[in-house]
C-alpha cells in the first residue's frame, strides 16, 4: 500500500513470512545507488512524533473524540446521520476541556510518554507519546492539554515555555 507512518511518501509492504528475506535482499540491492539504509523502530517513532501523527493506544483510545484529538477535519459533518454525530456537534460547539497537541521542549530531557506537561511552570496536561527529535534537536511530545485557551489558533506555539514534570 502507498502509505507511511513517518510523514513522507513511502510504501507499506505486506509480505508472506517465507518471502521476507528475499524481498529484503532485493530491496537493499536495488537501493544501494540511493544510499538505502535500515531504520529502526525509534527512528520511525521519532519521525511520526515530528509530524504529529497519532498512535492508537497512546494518543487515541475509545474515549478520545476526533474533536479532542485534533482530527475533526476527518469527520464529514455534512452527512445527515452517523453514530455519535449529535455528540460530536455538541462537543464542537462547546469546545472540550482538553485537546491533543504536539509540543517541543527546550529542556534536554528524554521523554517516553506519560510525563506531565508544564506550561510556564503550571501542570496543564500529560504526554501521550514522546521522544527525542534528531531533526529539531530537542524533545518532542504529543499530549492532552487542559487550558482555557486550548482551542485558540496558535495556542501551542505562542503559549509560552513547555516543560515536563
Amino acid at each position: 500500500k502507498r502509505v507511511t507512518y513517518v510523514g513522507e511518501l513511502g510504501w507499506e509492504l505486506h509480505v508472506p513470512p517465507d518471502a521476507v528475506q528475499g524481498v529484503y535482499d532485493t530491496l537493499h540491492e536495488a537501493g544501494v545507488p540511493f544510499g538505502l539504509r535500515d531504520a529502526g523502530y525509534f527512528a520511525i517513532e521519532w519521525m511520526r512524533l515530528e509530524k504529529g501523527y497519532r498512535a492508537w493506544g497512546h494518543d487515541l483510545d475509545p474515549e478520545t473524540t476526533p474533536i479532542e484529538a485534533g482530527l475533526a477535519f476527518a469527520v464529514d459533518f455534512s452527512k445527515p446521520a452517523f453514530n455519535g454525530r449529535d455528540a460530536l456537534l455538541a462537543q464542537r460547539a462547546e469546545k472540550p476541556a482538553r485537546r491533543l497537541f504536539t509540543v517541543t521542549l527546550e529542556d534536554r530531557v528524554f521523554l517516553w510518554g506519560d510525563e506531565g506537561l508544564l506550561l510556564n511552570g503550571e501542570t496543564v496536561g500529560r504526554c501521550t507519546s514522546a521522544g527525542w527529535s534528531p531533526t529539531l534537536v530537542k524533545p518532542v511530545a504529543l499530549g492532552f492539554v487542559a487550558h482555557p485557551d486550548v482551542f485558540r489558533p496558535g495556542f501551542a506555539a505562542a503559549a509560552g515555555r513547555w516543560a515536563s514534570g
Side-chain angles (χ1 to χ4, degrees):
K1 292 197 254 180
R2 185 68 195 242
V3 297
T4 176
Y5 200 47
V6 298
E8 301 297 332
L9 292 176
W11 294 92
E12 184 176 293
L13 304 176
H14 297 263
V15 180
D18 60 339
V20 168
Q21 187 65 55
V23 170
Y24 176 89
D25 293 341
T26 301
L27 286 173
H28 272 264
E29 186 178 321
V32 167
F34 305 101
L36 178 69
R37 296 182 304 167
D38 290 326
Y41 169 77
F42 283 115
I44 293 168
E45 180 71 2
W46 293 334
M47 287 185 277
R48 111 163 155 87
L49 288 168
E50 290 173 353
K51 196 70 170 184
Y53 283 9
R54 284 91 166 116
W56 183 259
H58 293 276
D59 314 307
L60 305 172
D61 63 29
E63 304 300 314
T64 304
T65 70
I67 309 291
E68 294 170 321
L71 298 173
F73 68 89
V75 178
D76 185 358
F77 287 103
S78 69
K79 288 175 75 172
F82 58 84
N83 288 340
R85 182 179 186 273
D86 293 340
L88 286 176
L89 285 170
Q91 189 180 53
R92 185 173 71 169
E94 296 167 10
K95 305 289 189 236
R98 66 180 194 152
R99 183 169 180 206
L100 189 69
F101 279 100
T102 302
V103 297
T104 57
L105 287 67
E106 297 306 317
D107 297 333
R108 292 185 64 90
V109 296
F110 195 91
L111 305 173
W112 290 99
D114 203 35
E115 295 87 0
L117 280 175
L118 283 67
L119 176 59
N120 299 323
E122 177 188 348
T123 300
V124 294
R126 290 210 77 66
C127 293
T128 53
S129 295
W132 180 256
S133 168
T135 305
L136 302 172
V137 194
K138 59 177 71 174
V140 61
L142 272 71
F144 281 102
V145 173
H147 188 278
D149 296 328
V150 78
F151 279 90
R152 190 183 79 234
F155 165 77
R161 186 175 189 281
W162 290 94
S164 70

